[in-house]
Amino acid sequence: MRAEVRADYEAALEWVAGDDAFAVRFERFFTELRDPLHTLYGDDDRFALAWDRLLQAIATTAAERPRELRMLDHEREVTPDWLQREQAVGYVTYVDKFAGTLSGVRERLPYLRELGVTYLHLMPLLAARPAPNDGGYAVVDYGAVEPSMGTMDDLAALASDLREAGMALCVDLVLNHVAAEHPWARDPAFLCTFADRAEPDAFERTLPDVFPDTAPGSFSWSEEHRSWIWTTFNTYQWDLDYTNPDVFVAMAEAMLGLARAGVDVLRLDAAPFLWKRLGTNCQNQPEVHELLQAFRAAMRIAAPAVAFKAEAIVAPKDLVPYLGTGKHEGKECDLAYHNVLMVLLWSALASGRVGLMTSTLLAMPTVPPGAGWLTYVRCHDDIGWAITPEDAARVGEDAYLHRRFLADWYAGEFPGSFARGARFQADPRTGEARSSGTCASLAGLESAPDELATELAIRRILLLYAIAFAHGGLPLIYMGDELGLFNDASYLEDPDKADDNRWMHRPAMDWEAAERRHDPDTVEGQLWGGLRRLITARRSTPAIHVQGAVEPVWTGNDHVFGLSRAQAGERLLVLGNFSPTPQPVGLGVLQERGFELTAAAGAVDGRPVEPYHDFVVLAPYQHLWLSG
Ligand code: OTU
């Protein structure tokens, strides 16, 4: 062992006597852990003590890891692509809305198993302040579960049941802020505080507002601290000061605690915001990547089975670095949300045209080796119409007008719109807004006046999911989409929720609707059946693997999206008609890539397909999967 490592290792070894695997990991990741922390805190007097505490937390976590989890550590070390394979399918839900409590979720596992889920993301479940708490994103205790949902022991029991059922557990970790009531928030050294408005005003000159309607500005006055406190999100969510090494260690301890409970994946909430710099938008600063590398290295030494998922809803050039680029390659997050794909899917559906999606995806940077996307259609947040002037210009469109069109369309306020959503955080000065609404309501199921319209809406939902499933990445099903659940207006009756219409797309699970999932004559049966077909198709398509090539294809028809995938000699071509009318694609598009039209291509969509002269004609919103 290198001498520099040995000095620190001697201390750590006391807690992990005789664990060879730990020794190997400690040496392997030592520099990855120490270097970023030295860069950030090397000159800080508090660092020496903080470093000792960190090593102790890492070593005790490793030492206390039960055999079952140590086996998993080994298994994932030799199978680093465990989240990126064709078998992987995720499901996202709130504990309370799905099954009341964590034990309730355990009882519902057969439902998820039947669907084919291998990854379960449970929305914030750690102890939060009383409402309003932003759906749990205002934590008061990182070491406890929200009492109404259960206990840490219940979480460990659920994690263990999930493991047995072949499902990984993902849990939110709110890194950027704590609830104003959190004990850490009593210590001004843990917060970004300002005696007067001079600095906040200077920062606000370049800071965008996340919630301009309901929480304008990024600072809130605290009587307790007689200071302005940095509050990027709501006034009760207090940003942590990551220039303090004790903050880093406190959060690392929280992470390690979740690893001890058997959590497999941590969703790092609001990762871009961790480091502030005057004159910038205070997102994606280089120090954020130093922090993430250090967190990752700490976890790899203590519990290498645990993966990191970045929640960074930022532009592609800022996003890919969360997957580890440059000096951080292979050292940051395993997964990141593909927000761009999600936005483009809804954009293509509204316009009925795929040019913007094709050209924007063609310009996307590729994921670094070892990392992968999370592909999704809806989540618990609003859809922010992140279409840049450069993206729009490539296809001769105006970004501002297109964003306005999308906000209007999904609010159901554009002529011919099938959507029943709502504007979120609308800006009256520009007419721009983000959009809220469930997948089903946005896709036209709620507004459908007759059987034909219902059928089209079902096809739209399955088309979006088909692209998310084929793109490459871990696809997520947002709870309720498999049954077509509509917007839920009940949040309006709750004064703690009424001003945040994101609650409209967080309905309670409808178990009665779920009962109908096996009846193909029902909406639920068709959506469930369609998703099941997609999961089956994905499973039998090795070209789906994240590390394979992803190439959007110009099909010669502006209404039909093409996506080609290739991995280790296996190939896949997916075609999707984003328009409500039948659309032809020349067979040459297939042939020149070595694909042939087979009946199996239609089977995924549930509708037969045959060539017509030199064309394949896709039915309205039909999608085809061709393997080659
Ligand atoms: C996240 O979202 C969560 O997903 C939200 O539900 C929370 O309200 C929020 O953090 C605060 O905890 O701005 O509009 O780049 O886009 O962190 C939602 C990341 C958000 C941000 C994201 C944030």
Side-chain angles (χ1 to χ4, degrees):
M1 183 171 283
R2 305 196 302 276
E4 55 164 356
V5 183
R6 181 171 297 280
D8 280 299
Y9 178 65
E10 296 295 343
L13 190 64
E14 279 177 34
W15 292 287
V16 203
D19 182 344
D20 289 345
F22 178 81
V24 169
R25 297 198 302 265
F26 193 88
E27 174 155 26
R28 167 67 180 80
F29 296 112
F30 180 81
T31 332
E32 289 186 24
L33 174 66
R34 185 205 53 193
D35 289 359
L37 294 177
H38 269 201
T39 306
L40 298 173
Y41 308 123
D43 300 330
D44 193 313
D45 294 343
R46 297 168 292 192
F47 181 58
L49 269 181
W51 174 247
D52 282 348
R53 254 179 65 209
L54 178 63
L55 292 188
Q56 181 168 346
I58 291 173
T60 30
T61 303
E64 288 169 10
R65 219 156 152 72
R67 181 156 188 275
E68 197 188 346
L69 293 180
R70 284 176 192 233
M71 295 291 282
L72 205 60
D73 286 336
H74 295 319
E75 186 188 319
R76 290 183 184 161
E77 279 173 324
V78 295
T79 319
D81 65 346
W82 65 281
L83 285 167
Q84 308 179 353
R85 300 180 150 208
E86 57 273 20
Q87 295 85 356
V89 173
Y91 190 85
V92 187
T93 187
Y94 287 90
V95 172
D96 53 346
K97 287 166 180 289
F98 185 65
T101 61
L102 290 171
S103 328
V105 174
R106 289 172 74 186
E107 284 161 29
R108 293 296 188 180
L109 293 189
Y111 176 81
L112 299 176
R113 226 168 45 204
E114 183 192 326
L115 184 56
V117 169
T118 68
Y119 170 104
L120 178 63
H121 170 202
L122 295 177
M123 295 297 294
L125 51 75
L126 297 180
R129 78 194 289 271
N133 56 32
D134 191 17
Y137 286 106
V139 174
V140 291
D141 185 352
Y142 287 87
V145 165
E146 174 63 26
S148 60
M149 297 182 202
T151 63
M152 267 297 178
D153 286 343
D154 294 337
L155 186 66
L158 171 63
S160 163
D161 280 9
L162 283 166
R163 253 192 312 283
E164 216 160 283
M167 290 182 229
L169 173 62
C170 170
V171 161
D172 274 87
L173 185 69
V174 190
L175 287 183
N176 176 67
H177 44 269
V178 294
E181 293 75 11
H182 193 290
W184 297 343
R186 306 287 71 76
D187 180 354
F190 267 56
L191 307 168
C192 311
T193 62
F194 305 92
D196 56 44
R197 282 295 311 184
E199 277 188 84
D201 286 344
F203 274 110
E204 277 188 350
R205 278 196 273 280
T206 54
L207 270 179
D209 262 3
V210 179
F211 300 136
D213 258 11
T214 46
S218 297
F219 302 88
S220 306
W221 175 255
S222 156
E223 267 309 316
E224 174 192 353
H225 293 292
R226 307 279 320 145
S227 325
W228 290 91
I229 310 272
W230 199 303
T231 54
T232 298
F233 297 92
N234 291 294
T235 51
Y236 53 79
Q237 290 165 305
W238 291 9
D239 288 37
L240 290 166
D241 180 4
Y242 276 93
T243 66
N244 177 354
D246 293 330
V247 168
F248 175 87
V249 175
M251 194 52 80
E253 286 170 341
M255 278 183 183
L256 295 166
L258 290 170
R260 277 202 287 275
V263 168
D264 299 279
V265 181
L266 293 174
R267 174 191 181 276
L268 305 180
D269 181 63
F273 297 84
L274 305 185
W275 200 272
K276 330 293 189 197
R277 175 166 283 111
L278 194 64
T280 71
N281 65 357
C282 296
Q283 294 183 41
N284 316 310
Q285 297 301 307
E287 290 84 353
V288 169
H289 297 287
E290 304 285 0
L291 288 166
L292 292 179
Q293 177 181 318
F295 280 131
R296 183 84 174 109
M299 188 59 88
R300 273 182 161 167
I301 298 171
V306 178
F308 279 15
K309 163 165 99 171
E311 195 260 337
I313 310 305
V314 296
K317 73 167 179 18
D318 296 321
L319 172 58
V320 174
Y322 289 89
L323 295 171
T325 53
K327 68 172 177 169
H328 300 294
E329 188 173 302
K331 302 175 187 145
E332 263 185 68
C333 298
D334 304 80
L335 299 168
Y337 286 87
H338 200 329
N339 175 63
V340 175
L341 175 67
M342 186 275 290
V343 165
L344 291 168
L345 286 171
W346 289 105
S347 155
L349 200 63
S351 64
R353 298 167 57 187
V354 303
L356 182 64
M357 174 152 71
T358 310
S359 68
T360 307
L361 289 178
L362 274 167
M364 258 323 266
T366 49
V367 294
W373 293 120
L374 258 150
T375 57
Y376 64 114
V377 172
R378 280 303 284 125
C379 72
H380 70 290
D381 279 329
D382 52 288
I383 308 175
W385 299 112
I387 288 157
T388 66
E390 303 80 66
D391 295 341
R394 263 187 248 111
V395 287
E397 288 199 33
D398 180 279
Y400 166 74
L401 291 178
H402 188 58
R403 291 196 303 263
R404 278 200 62 159
F405 158 72
L406 292 169
D408 291 348
W409 181 273
Y410 285 109
E413 289 168 13
F414 196 91
S417 169
F418 45 71
R420 286 283 178 279
R423 291 171 203 280
F424 179 70
Q425 306 287 328
D427 184 338
R429 290 163 305 177
T430 62
E432 293 208 51
R434 288 131 74 179
S435 300
S436 284
T438 68
C439 176
S441 293
L442 294 179
L445 197 57
E446 188 177 338
S447 70
D450 53 32
E451 251 176 60
L452 178 63
T454 302
E455 166 71 23
L456 289 181
I458 291 170
R459 292 193 198 180
R460 285 187 202 108
I461 295 168
L462 292 174
L463 172 62
L464 297 193
Y465 269 99
I467 306 298
F469 269 67
H471 178 279
L474 170 62
L476 297 181
I477 300 169
Y478 184 64
M479 187 276 269
D481 290 359
E482 77 278 21
L483 304 170
L485 296 193
F486 294 163
N487 294 333
D488 174 5
S490 65
Y491 76 100
L492 291 167
E493 286 142 39
D494 181 342
D496 290 325
K497 293 180 175 156
D499 67 352
D500 186 344
N501 71 21
R502 290 179 298 171
W503 287 102
M504 72 196 282
H505 51 257
R506 301 167 181 175
M509 179 56 165
D510 183 344
W511 289 107
E512 259 174 54
E515 290 292 307
R516 294 190 286 273
R517 69 187 183 277
H518 300 131
D519 179 352
D521 292 333
T522 62
V523 168
E524 293 83 5
Q526 289 179 40
L527 284 170
W528 180 272
L531 281 174
R532 284 285 315 138
R533 279 196 302 274
L534 281 174
I535 292 171
T536 310
R538 202 182 132 87
R539 284 229 167 106
S540 54
T541 309
I544 290 282
H545 195 288
V546 170
Q547 293 297 312
V550 188
E551 195 202 336
V553 170
W554 292 106
T555 61
N557 181 331
D558 193 28
H559 306 292
V560 180
F561 180 64
L563 185 73
S564 131
R565 305 288 328 275
Q567 151 82 0
E570 304 273 350
R571 289 168 339 109
L572 170 72
L573 179 68
V574 173
L575 299 176
N577 177 2
F578 276 77
S579 88
T581 51
Q583 295 293 335
V585 170
L587 286 176
V589 174
L590 280 55
Q591 285 152 2
E592 74 197 30
R593 291 175 175 79
F595 290 94
E596 262 180 68
L597 198 59
T598 61
V604 181
D605 184 67
R607 258 177 301 279
V609 54
E610 272 176 44
Y612 178 79
H613 298 292
D614 288 345
F615 294 98
V616 51
V617 179
L618 283 89
Y621 302 117
Q622 182 169 22
H623 61 88
L624 299 178
W625 292 42
L626 301 122
S627 14

